[in-house]
C-alpha cells in the first residue's frame, strides 16, 4: 500500500498532531496527550504527489518547517541507512528526534519490501523523571508491538490495553517516508 | 485521568489544502471536548466538579449540566446491567469513571464528525470514517476509504501485547478487565474488589454504554452474557481466566487469533 506521510504539528496547548495519509485509503492519525504545555511541531510535506514512485518519494521530498522548537528542529532530517531496490531489499531508517510529552525520542524501523520487519527505539531521553520513566516503560514496548501487530493482522486499532504516543508515530512515519514505504 | 486518545481519520483520497485546515479545526474541537470532560469528571483532580460533588461540597444542581446528564445515563446503565455496573456503590462516593471515558470519546467523535461533514471545504475530502481510541475504548463511524469495514483487534488479557480476537467494527467497542491496571473492579453487590472474567468486550452504537456494560461484564463474568444478549444493538465477548472465550450470537467476530 502506498503511503504519503505528512507529519504536521500544531501549536495548540496540549496537542501533538500526527497526520498520516495513504492514497488508498487515506488515513489521518491524530494523537492528543492531555496535560501537556504548549507544543510546537514541524510540518513535513512531500513535494511530489502520491503518484510518485516510492524511490522518488524518498529522495524528492521537501522538509518545510512552519514552527519548530528545540530538539525537534535539530533532528528533523531522517537518515536512511540503505538504498537500492526499494521494492524488495531489507533496509532501515531512523526517524527524527521528536519531542513528546515526557522527553525526546526517535524510532528506528526496518522494512523488507513494503513490510515492517522490526521497529525499535533508537534514542530516548526522558530526563530521568520518574513519571516519564514509568510511562515510557509501560508504553514503548506496547507501541513497538502494536506497530507490528497492526501490520500483521490488517487491523486499524486495538481494544483493550492500548497506548499510543504521537512522538513515536511521528518519528516512525518519517523513517518510513525515508524508505518510501 | 491521563488517558491518551488517538483519532484516526480515513478518506478515499488524499486530504490537502483547505480540507486539511478544516480537519485540524475539527480535531481541535474534539480535543477541547476531551479536555473539558477531564476537567469536569476527573476523580484525580481534587478541584474538579465531580470530586467536589463526591465530597459533598456542591450539589448536583450546582455542578455543570453534563454531570447530571452522565449520572442519568449511569443510572440507565445500572438498570440495564441489573446492578453489575453501579457508580453509586464505589468506595468514596459516586464515581462515573466507568462510563465517562467512553462517553467522552463518543462526544469527541461527534464533535469531530458533525462539523467535518457540514463544512463545504471538507466535503471534497470524502472522509469515509474515523476512529477515536481512548486507551483501548473505541468509538467510530464509517469505514476504510475502499468501502471495507474497520477491523479491530481485542487485546489478549493473558498477554496484552497480543491479540485474542479480531472483529469488524460498526460503532463502538469497549474492553474492560483486570490485566491493564491491576484489579480496579468493584463488585457493586459486595463492595469488594473482584472480577468474573479476565476481560470483557462490548460492541454497540454508543461507547459510553458499551464502556459501562464492559465494566459490568468483567465483574459478572460469563453468566452476564445473557444480559447483553437481551439488549438490542449490543454484543459481547468474555474471556475467562483460563483463556476460554464465550460471546453473544451477534458478536461481529472475524477470527479468534493467537497472533
Amino acid at each position: 500500500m502506498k503511503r504519503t506521510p505528512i507529519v504536521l504539528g500544531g501549536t495548540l496547548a496540549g496537542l501533538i498532531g500526527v497526520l498520516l495519509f495513504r492514497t488508498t485509503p487515506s488515513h489521518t492519525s491524530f494523537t492528543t496527550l492531555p496535560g501537556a504545555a504548549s507544543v510546537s511541531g514541524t510540518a513535513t510535506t512531500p513535494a511530489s504527489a502520491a503518484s510518485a514512485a516510492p524511490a522518488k518519494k524518498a529522495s524528492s521530498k521537501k522538509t518545510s518547517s512552519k514552527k519548530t522548537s528545540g530538539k525537534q528542529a535539530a533532528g528533523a532530517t531522517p537518515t536512511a541507512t540503505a538504498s537500492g531496490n526499494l521494492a524488495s531489499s531489507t533496509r532501515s531508517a531512523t526517524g527524527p528526534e521528536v519531542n513528546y510529552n515526557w522527553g525526546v525520542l526517535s524510532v528506528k524501523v526496518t522494512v523488507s519490501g513494503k513490510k515492517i520487519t522490526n521497529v525499535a527505539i533508537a534514542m530516548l531521553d526522558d530526563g530521568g523523571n520518574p513519571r516519564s520513566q514509568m510511562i515510557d516503560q509501560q508504553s514503548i514496548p506496547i507501541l513497538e508491538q502494536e506497530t507490528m501487530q497492526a501490520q500483521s493482522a490488517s487491523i486499524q486499532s486495538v481494544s483493550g490495553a492500548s497506548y499510543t504516543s504521537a512522538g513515536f508515530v511521528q518519528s516512525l512515519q518519517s523513517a518510513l517516508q525515508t524508505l518510501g514505504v | 485521568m491521563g488517558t491518551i486518545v488517538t483519532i484516526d481519520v480515513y478518506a478515499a483520497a488524499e486530504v490537502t489544502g483547505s480540507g486539511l485546515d478544516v480537519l485540524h479545526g475539527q480535531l481541535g474541537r474534539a480535543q477541547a471536548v476531551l479536555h473539558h470532560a477531564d476537567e469536569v469528571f476527573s476523580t484525580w483532580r481534587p478541584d474538579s466538579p465531580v470530586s467536589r460533588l463526591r465530597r459533598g461540597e456542591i450539589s448536583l444542581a450546582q455542578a455543570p449540566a453534563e454531570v447530571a446528564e452522565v449520572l442519568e445515563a449511569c443510572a440507565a446503565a445500572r438498570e440495564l446491567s441489573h446492578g453489575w455496573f453501579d457508580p453509586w456503590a464505589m468506595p468514596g462516593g459516586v464515581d462515573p469513571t466507568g462510563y465517562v471515558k467512553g462517553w467522552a470519546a463518543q462526544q469527541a467523535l461527534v464533535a469531530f464528525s458533525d462539523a467535518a461533514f457540514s463544512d463545504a471545504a471538507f466535503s471534497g475530502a470524502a472522509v469515509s470514517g474515523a476512529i477515536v481510541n481512548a486507551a483501548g475504548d473505541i468509538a467510530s463511524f464509517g469505514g476504510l476509504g475502499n468501502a471495507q469495514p474497520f477491523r479491530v483487534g481485542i487485546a489478549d488479557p493473558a498477554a496484552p501485547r497480543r491479540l485474542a480476537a479480531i472483529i469488524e467494527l460498526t460503532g463502538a467497542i469497549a474492553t474492560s478487565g483486570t490485566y491493564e491496571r491491576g484489579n480496579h473492579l468493584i463488585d457493586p453487590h459486595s463492595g469488594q474488589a473482584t472480577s468474573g472474567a479476565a476481560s470483557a468486550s462490548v460492541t454497540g452504537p454508543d461507547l459510553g454504554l458499551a464502556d459501562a456494560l464492559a465494566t459490568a461484564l468483567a465483574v459478572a463474568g460469563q453468566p452476564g452474557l445473557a444480559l447483553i444478549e437481551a439488549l438490542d444493538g449490543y454484543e459481547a465477548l468474555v474471556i475467562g481466566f483460563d483463556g476460554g472465550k464465550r460471546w453473544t450470537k451477534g458478536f461481529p467476530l472475524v477470527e479468534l487469533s493467537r497472533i
Side-chain angles (χ1 to χ4, degrees):
Chain A
M1 186 185 295
K2 259 188 243 170
R3 178 155 43 188
T4 309
I6 298 180
V7 183
L8 257 179
T11 53
L12 301 168
L15 158 68
I16 298 176
V18 179
L19 297 183
L20 150 68
F21 287 107
R22 295 172 187 163
T23 47
T24 49
S26 253
H27 173 239
T28 300
S29 178
F30 174 92
T31 302
T32 177
L33 302 164
S38 179
V39 175
S40 297
T42 58
T44 308
T45 43
S48 57
S51 57
K56 287 243 175 100
K57 264 201 279 183
S59 59
S60 67
K61 70 178 186 294
K62 187 177 79 183
T63 302
S64 63
S65 296
K66 280 181 182 164
K67 282 245 180 191
T68 58
S69 72
K71 293 176 183 173
Q72 195 166 358
T77 309
T79 52
T81 56
S83 58
N85 181 0
L86 295 184
S88 60
S89 65
T90 296
R91 57 213 192 277
S92 306
T94 301
E97 293 177 5
V98 174
N99 281 320
Y100 69 114
N101 276 44
W102 302 286
V104 182
L105 63 73
S106 73
V107 176
K108 181 181 180 182
V109 63
T110 303
V111 301
S112 178
K114 293 274 184 188
K115 187 172 168 55
I116 298 172
T117 54
N118 193 36
V119 60
I121 293 292
M123 194 286 294
L124 177 70
D125 178 5
D126 56 18
N129 178 305
R131 174 172 154 79
S132 304
Q133 288 178 336
M134 188 192 77
I135 291 165
D136 291 337
Q137 282 163 13
Q138 282 184 352
S139 63
I140 284 173
I142 295 170
L143 289 165
E144 292 170 352
Q145 186 67 26
E146 275 192 353
T147 303
M148 304 300 293
Q149 209 171 58
Q151 171 175 266
S152 63
S154 307
I155 56 173
Q156 281 72 54
S157 204
V158 177
S159 183
S162 179
Y163 300 81
T164 47
S165 161
F168 182 92
V169 174
Q170 190 172 342
S171 188
L172 172 65
Q173 285 312 321
S174 295
L176 288 172
Q177 187 178 13
T178 305
L179 295 170
V181 174
Chain B
M1 284 183 278
T3 295
I4 294 171
V5 178
T6 307
I7 303 178
D8 296 309
V9 183
Y10 290 80
E14 190 169 352
V15 181
T16 55
S18 60
L20 205 52
D21 293 339
V22 173
L23 187 60
H24 267 282
Q26 292 325 117
L27 292 170
R29 286 184 185 214
Q31 186 197 23
V33 165
L34 294 166
H35 283 210
H36 179 69
D38 188 42
E39 280 163 19
V40 172
F41 290 98
S42 175
T43 54
W44 298 92
R45 296 167 180 248
D47 58 340
S48 77
V50 161
S51 291
R52 299 185 64 199
L53 184 69
R54 281 158 61 86
R55 291 194 302 267
E57 292 172 12
I58 58 171
S59 68
L60 187 54
Q62 291 169 307
E66 56 266 39
V67 177
E69 181 193 325
V70 159
L71 289 180
E72 200 173 308
C74 284
R78 177 171 64 175
E79 198 173 320
L80 288 172
S81 69
H82 292 204
W84 287 106
F85 172 77
D86 190 348
W88 289 270
M90 297 298 110
V94 60
D95 182 358
T97 304
Y99 177 85
V100 162
K101 188 171 69 157
W103 172 81
Q106 189 77 52
Q107 296 284 108
L109 181 75
V110 168
F112 168 77
S113 58
D114 275 1
F117 283 113
S118 63
D119 193 295
F122 199 67
S123 60
V127 167
S128 62
I131 292 177
V132 177
N133 189 328
D137 291 339
I138 299 170
S140 78
F141 69 84
L144 296 171
N146 57 5
Q148 295 297 307
F150 290 131
R151 283 156 57 102
V152 168
I154 294 173
D156 185 343
R161 289 161 59 185
R162 297 173 183 275
L163 298 182
I166 295 172
I167 67 157
E168 271 185 13
L169 182 67
T170 307
I173 179 169
T175 297
S176 190
T178 51
Y179 60 92
E180 195 180 340
R181 287 177 290 152
N183 194 346
H184 64 285
L185 298 171
I186 304 289
D187 182 344
H189 305 301
S190 69
Q192 302 296 308
T194 186
S195 63
S199 137
S201 300
V202 174
T203 62
D206 180 74
L207 185 57
L209 182 54
D211 199 0
L213 293 174
T215 305
L217 207 48
V219 177
Q222 287 183 1
L225 281 172
L227 292 172
I228 310 297
E229 199 78 76
L231 289 179
D232 257 6
Y234 289 84
E235 304 293 341
L237 166 78
V238 171
I239 304 177
F241 294 106
D242 61 355
K245 302 178 183 75
R246 295 282 184 281
W247 56 92
T248 56
K249 285 197 271 299
F251 192 73
L253 199 58
V254 174
E255 61 180 271
L256 295 173
S257 63
R258 282 168 291 160
I259 296 161

